[in-house]
Amino acid sequence: MLEPAYQADVVVVGAGVAGLAAAHRLISAGVTTVVLEAAPYVGGRMSTEKVDGFRLDRIGQFLSTSYPELRLTPGLDALLLRPFAPGVLLHSDGRHHHAGTPAPGGSAWGALHAVRALASAPRQGTVRREPLWGGPATRGRASSPWGGRTLRDRSAPTLRARPDSSWGGPTLKERAADTRATAVPRPRSGAPLGGPVDQARLGTALTRLANTPVERLLARPESAAGQALAARGVPARTIDGFLRPLLAALLCDPELTTSSRCADLALRAFAGGRLCLPEGGAEMLPEVLAAALPPGTVHTGVRATAVATTSVTTAEHGEIRCRAVLVATDARAAAELLPGLRVPDFHPVTVVHHTTDDPPATGAALLLDSDRGGPVAHTAIVSEVDPSRAPAGRALVSSTVLGPPPPDVETAVRTHLSRLYGTSTARWETLAVHHTPAAVPVMRPPHDLRRPVRLLAGLYVCGDHRDTSTVQGALHSGHRASTAILKDLGAATPMHRADPLPTARAA
């Protein structure tokens, strides 16, 4: 029997969000596409376990309402997003502090709030404002790329600016004999963000960041996130009290070794939108994408063993011929099919799920540990964010441990949660402990956020390891890969009608 020249125009190997997003764009352009997935379900690491009416995410990555690809990707119209309470809740010195609360305009901190805080702060001399968050320094005057504020009293030439140990701005001293030195009051020690001037400057920086074009962020000099923040003049208190725990939640990197460009993008997304979760669990995003594809497009339980520019060899169906192949698996599986492909390191993530009938009164807030006083980096009562994740009358508390977990992780987490929430956790029931050693690709500098998706004509690769290690990065890499495939195939070329896969081989 003669076999057709090919069974489809494009075969996508891997039914994660990157491969499914690429398949949508290809099919929308008239390219017949088949998606093969080795697992019995779609989604890859974005999976959700069902236990007694609870929906438990294995990794628990956050989405943001400001992610462009959530709006641009075909097939996501049916996805419902459940936002956290505005901003985040910081635990420091036994107290909770709200931070990053959006203003009515939609940014993480309103410029009006920043202006009011600055206006109420003690001032001396003349204040010259400079661009915040990496803005240029002013020649000939003391300035900070982060705070960018230069103080000069033109009526008193004997005044000089001296950096203060707090982030409340420079302290001016009158060195004339007839003038007493006056210092800016230091912020209260218990506040992780410092005093009103500290908070105003941080708020203005985040507001500016939310409105900075992505191209400008990617053009900035690159270093490790922690080094870049310190070099911009951000005080250690603000880094450790707010930015470190926030970036740990967004990028799974509490040590701030991530590329400063990737950190800027993550903070930009936080500043411009709301953190949120897919209603029904993380698996809903890939399932919504898969359900919106034409019937027969996605085939689960099919393992690819080899790829070429015109074919994919599978363990179950033999060779499937095509005109192009897109490898959309995780980095390690992709390297097995594409020898020589770079495999990054990974951040391990452990998620511990508890349930209780008497939840703490933190509501739908994301709670971060500024003190780093235990294994939990962040925690939330996710049933307050998305009620569909727990049965009626029960609360679901999901907590994330970053890095290698302690030996008795469940006991250590339970003890730490008692301090974070300020309540006893002795009666909380443990539902599951999910440990994923290769959860999130590491993005140390130098990190190419636009790694090539076209290896050669007919062979392509996508995934969060080709972009940023976020859902936005995975979706965007699928977007780039589908664009490259369509360009190579040519819009004027007649596309083939997809044929059924060959009959599965007997076991």
Side-chain angles (χ1 to χ4, degrees), residues 100-120:
T101 304
S107 62
W109 288 66
L112 177 62
H113 296 279
V115 171
R116 287 177 176 172
L118 285 171
S120 64

Side-chain angles (χ1 to χ4, degrees), residues 57-74:
D57 287 351
R58 292 187 176 275
I59 295 181
Q61 284 182 297
F62 302 117
L63 305 181
S64 173
T65 56
S66 63
Y67 280 172
E69 291 295 336
L70 291 179
R71 301 186 302 273
L72 299 176
T73 302

Side-chain angles (χ1 to χ4, degrees), residues 63-445:
L63 305 181
S64 173
T65 56
S66 63
Y67 280 172
E69 291 295 336
L70 291 179
R71 301 186 302 273
L72 299 176
T73 302
L76 285 182
D77 297 341
L79 181 67
L80 298 178
L81 300 179
R82 293 290 185 175
F84 284 87
V88 294
L89 197 61
L90 300 173
H91 180 271
S92 177
D93 295 331
R95 300 180 60 186
H96 289 162
H97 308 265
H98 288 279
T101 304
S107 62
W109 288 66
L112 177 62
H113 296 279
V115 171
R116 287 177 176 172
L118 285 171
S120 64
R123 296 186 183 186
Q124 293 176 343
T126 301
V127 177
R128 178 181 176 86
R129 294 190 182 182
E130 302 290 347
L132 298 182
W133 198 279
T138 303
R139 182 178 299 177
R141 291 188 291 269
S143 64
S144 162
W146 167 274
R149 298 178 59 209
T150 302
L151 299 182
R152 175 184 288 183
D153 190 338
R154 298 182 179 180
S155 63
T158 56
L159 294 181
R160 293 189 300 174
R162 176 181 61 83
D164 188 36
S165 59
S166 69
W167 199 33
T171 300
L172 298 180
K173 284 191 176 181
E174 176 67 69
R175 301 208 181 264
D178 57 345
T179 305
R180 299 179 59 184
T182 306
V184 176
R186 298 175 182 270
R188 181 172 53 85
S189 61
L193 296 181
V197 175
D198 292 354
Q199 297 179 35
R201 293 174 68 184
L202 176 60
T204 305
L206 289 175
T207 300
R208 289 181 180 273
L209 186 63
N211 297 315
T212 301
V214 172
E215 294 75 14
R216 287 181 56 188
L217 295 182
L218 299 183
R220 289 179 174 178
E222 184 183 26
S223 62
Q227 296 174 359
L229 291 172
R232 294 169 187 171
V234 188
R237 161 182 297 203
T238 304
I239 295 175
D240 291 332
F242 174 59
L243 295 176
R244 184 187 300 275
L246 176 61
L247 287 172
L250 301 178
L251 302 174
C252 300
D253 177 22
E255 303 306 322
L256 298 185
T257 61
T258 293
S259 162
S260 57
R261 295 173 181 172
C262 299
D264 283 347
L265 290 176
L267 291 174
R268 182 182 186 274
F270 171 78
R274 289 273 294 275
L275 296 180
C276 54
L277 298 172
E279 183 181 90
E283 69 175 9
M284 292 308 299
L285 195 155
E287 287 193 357
V288 165
L289 281 174
L293 290 170
T297 300
V298 179
H299 301 266
T300 58
V302 180
R303 182 172 60 89
T305 58
V307 297
T309 57
T310 58
S311 67
V312 174
T313 304
T314 68
E316 293 77 14
H317 299 280
E319 185 181 48
I320 302 173
R321 299 185 181 182
C322 57
R323 302 172 62 195
V325 176
L326 172 58
V327 177
T329 65
D330 64 81
R332 289 179 177 174
E336 294 179 1
L337 296 172
L338 303 168
L341 196 71
R342 176 184 173 273
V343 179
D345 295 330
F346 293 88
H347 294 298
V349 173
T350 304
V351 181
V352 183
H353 298 280
H354 291 96
T355 181
T356 175
D357 57 2
D358 185 20
T362 54
L366 177 62
L367 177 57
L368 313 179
D369 183 19
S370 293
D371 298 332
R372 305 180 78 181
V376 177
H378 54 87
T379 180
I381 308 173
V382 295
S383 55
E384 294 285 347
V385 182
D386 176 13
S388 71
R389 299 192 179 212
R394 304 294 299 180
L396 173 61
V397 183
S398 298
S399 310
T400 299
V401 176
L402 302 177
D408 189 357
V409 61
E410 201 281 325
T411 300
V413 165
R414 187 185 293 269
T415 302
H416 193 191
L417 291 178
S418 179
R419 296 197 301 270
L420 291 177
Y421 285 110
T423 187
S424 173
T425 59
R427 295 181 57 249
W428 289 16
E429 177 187 351
T430 302
L431 295 171
V433 178
H434 295 144
H435 178 62
T436 308
V440 178
V442 170
M443 297 183 290
R444 297 190 185 96

Side-chain angles (χ1 to χ4, degrees), residues 4-18:
Y6 47 84
Q7 279 80 41
D9 293 311
V10 179
V11 173
V12 179
V13 180
V17 295

Side-chain angles (χ1 to χ4, degrees), residues 450-492:
R450 300 294 181 263
R451 282 198 172 91
V453 293
R454 182 186 187 273
L455 303 182
L456 52 100
L459 194 57
Y460 310 83
V461 61
C462 67
D464 58 0
H465 52 95
R466 311 306 293 177
D467 209 281
T468 59
S469 303
T470 61
V471 174
Q472 161 68 17
L475 292 171
H476 190 246
S477 73
H479 189 165
R480 292 194 292 128
S482 60
T483 301
I485 294 172
L486 292 175
K487 181 179 179 180
D488 287 347
L489 291 182

